Amino acid sequence: MVVPLGSTASILKYIRPKSFPTPFCPGCGHGILMGAILRAIDELGLDMDSMLFVSGIGCGGWIPSPHFNADTLHVTHGRPVAFATGAVLFNPKLNVVVIGGDGDIASIGGNHLIHAARRNLDMTVICANNSIYGMTGGQVTPTTPLGAMTATTPKGNPEPPFDLSRLVAAAGASYVARYSVWHIRPLIKALQKALLHKGFAFVEVLSSCPTQFGRRNDLPTPARMLRHFKETCVPISRAKDMSPEELAGKTLIGEFVG
Ligand code: SF4
């Protein structure tokens, strides 16, 4: 029987059987993202032996490690882009992919992120942005929306968040895209472009965390969180014809640099 590329049966070969049961909570968007990354790799026919996955601490870091049956580097909190820089410089033939959460890559590792983008280093960075520190108890991050409830902002986040994709684009990255785990086919296409891209490629993925973010912010179920992405994400192409009032509370998705 022919197994179609990108299907569940086809991507199982990239997963370590011993990594199940997964460490993710039920309904975590990171599982959807993990599948999207592996489907993108499978459909492209990339050789896992020429790839290195680097992750730091946090739920997003669990995507490659322990799950991927490949070379993975699980490093200190906030430092995956720095370790990946060393790997790229040591062996430019490696296809280096950093996968981690907003707390890891954009908060603690924020400087590494913007300077790697500025240098246009040849790597792919996939940020699973769930707007909160999931694994460590639900603290506020620089991507937590204004007014959102977290463990450390019990009266609502008083500070405006980073627009991560725009930040990385402004820093100099040569490929930048943002989608959510609801927008699965466009997300897989963007991941494929990023994986093939020469230079610094950044894909921001809005991912659901019903456990730490959703239950505090009136999005208590996995399905409700996914519907939230469907309702609040607007393609860049459509946003051009919308007024500031219509765009209030919306998140732009699509290719920012490409
Ligand atoms: S805490 Fe949130 S991000 Fe972490 S595994 Fe659970 S649902 Fe996923």
Side-chain angles (χ1 to χ4, degrees), residues 23-30 59 62 130 134-135 208-212:
F24 300 135
C25 305
C28 177
H30 291 3
C59 304
W62 286 334
N130 58 13
M135 192 180 77
S208 35
C209 173
T211 303
Q212 295 291 6

Side-chain angles (χ1 to χ4, degrees), residues 18 21 39 49 74 109 118 129 135 143 147-148 155 173 217 219 254:
K18 284 188 178 168
R39 286 173 215 282
D49 288 342
H74 204 145
R118 175 175 63 87
N129 181 2
M135 192 180 77
T143 58
K155 294 184 179 172
N217 290 285
L219 302 164

